[in-house]
Amino acid sequence: MSTVLFVVTGARTWTLTDGTEHPTGFWAEELLTPYALLTEAGHQVVFATPAGVTPVADPGSMREGDAEAIADITALRAPLVLAEVDASAYDAVYYPGGHGPMQDLAVDTDSAALIADTMAAGRPLVAVCHGLAALLPAVAATADPLVSGRRIAAFTDEEERIGGLADSAPFLLESSLRELGADVVVAEPWSEHTVVDGTLITGQNPQSSASTARALIAALADGSSAL
């Protein structure tokens, strides 16, 4: 059995360019689906958030039964303090999305250090959708952006436009990752799309939650530093 750390946004709103506070949080499916698949496979899941705040789900992400499923995850009510987390204590780290990470994890230095330590140790680092915002401040030992030269999937600029927030977003995730040198592999909007580049496993959108989790389960079973 492996222990996987879920780093979850603590943000409840996303500040848009006009100052509007857009309600957000984590995307329910991107937390619940991987959590279910990992625990069903026998792995343990631990949660951490900035300052240890109890995270909330983006209201726009909630489907029938999601509220009950979230309530059943008792560990989510009292997550670890992200700044106090030791990366070496976990076999893998996973970042679910929602617009929340665009508010807090995109600039969180504790999260960035955790990502760098996880990647340097050759352990799986996984992110889905807007969860990849957490990769923006992460740097390698060379001081280069950690995503530079890496093949990844992330929530696309086109999907942000279709969702209606592109024009008011402080930044667009796909464009920002490309500016750091990432090779963002884009699939059709809302299609399942997961990219595995060594121990870096990324998914484009909520539809990619299950396939990304299965790729992580395969990596944990393989136990190697490259897939």
Side-chain angles (χ1 to χ4, degrees):
M1 180 183 73
S2 297
T3 303
V4 180
L5 178 70
F6 276 38
V7 180
V8 184
T9 177
R12 286 160 168 73
T13 59
W14 183 29
T15 307
L16 303 180
T17 53
D18 64 358
T20 299
E21 297 295 331
H22 178 72
T24 188
F26 65 84
W27 200 261
E29 180 179 358
E30 295 169 15
L31 186 145
L32 290 173
T33 297
Y35 176 83
L37 290 171
L38 284 161
T39 54
E40 287 167 6
H43 302 298
Q44 180 182 7
V45 172
V46 176
F47 297 93
T49 63
V53 301
T54 300
V56 298
D58 187 309
S61 73
M62 298 295 283
R63 304 166 299 178
E64 184 177 356
D66 282 352
E68 293 81 1
I70 291 169
D72 286 342
I73 306 174
T74 56
L76 199 56
R77 302 172 199 165
L80 301 176
V81 176
L82 181 57
E84 299 173 359
V85 166
D86 178 2
S88 67
Y90 302 96
D91 299 292
V93 177
Y94 169 69
Y95 285 81
H99 281 111
M102 302 282 277
Q103 179 76 16
D104 58 0
L105 297 177
V107 294
D108 192 296
T109 56
D110 296 315
S111 171
L114 175 71
I115 289 170
D117 289 346
T118 299
M119 293 297 295
R123 291 187 289 269
L125 190 286
V126 190
V128 171
C129 199
H130 289 95
L132 276 95
L135 296 176
L136 295 174
V139 296
T142 59
D144 294 318
L146 191 143
V147 297
S148 180
R150 305 302 295 261
R151 293 180 70 254
I152 60 174
F155 197 74
T156 67
D157 293 355
E158 179 64 17
E159 286 169 322
E160 202 74 83
R161 280 189 284 270
I162 294 170
L165 289 175
D167 291 341
S168 54
F171 63 93
L172 295 175
L173 182 57
E174 177 194 342
S175 292
S176 297
L177 290 165
R178 289 189 186 279
E179 289 169 5
L180 295 176
D183 177 10
V184 184
V185 184
V186 174
E188 289 296 315
W190 318 119
S191 62
E192 179 185 334
H193 180 52
T194 294
V195 173
V196 178
D197 182 355
T199 56
L200 182 59
I201 304 169
T202 52
Q204 180 170 311
N205 45 36
Q207 290 76 12
S208 309
S209 298
S211 58
T212 303
R214 291 190 186 102
L216 171 56
I217 291 168
L220 293 170
D222 182 69
S224 66
S225 60
L227 301 178

